[in-house]
Amino acid sequence: MVEPVDLATVQLPDTSLAPTALPSTLARALAFAAVIVAGVCGGLVGWAVTDLQCTGDCGTPATIGAVAGALLAAGGVAV
């Protein structure tokens, strides 16, 4: 026969010291900084390539090239 358990006396384990699979805060900050730096570099490369190939008023195409380069570079590093 199973005896009833008094829930008021049951002690739960301390979950504040449970192990975690998260990387350290420094590692996460460095990874975030790497994604930002890659985005900036990709934006500069995209802008430069578009600006070199364009003649005349190239504001809009250069901006599109910069945004595309930034997104591709940051996305590639983030993966």
Side-chain angles (χ1 to χ4, degrees):
M1 184 170 141
V2 177
E3 296 183 24
V5 176
D6 183 16
L7 295 179
T9 60
V10 172
Q11 293 186 3
L12 298 174
D14 184 15
T15 58
S16 65
L17 301 176
T20 179
L22 288 174
S24 68
T25 305
L26 176 63
R28 286 184 278 166
L30 290 174
F32 180 76
V35 171
I36 297 299
V37 168
V40 169
C41 291
L44 290 172
V45 169
W47 172 79
V49 167
T50 306
D51 193 49
L52 286 172
Q53 295 177 358
C54 184
T55 57
D57 184 23
C58 300
T60 302
T63 302
I64 293 171
V67 170
L71 291 176
L72 286 171
V77 170
V79 169

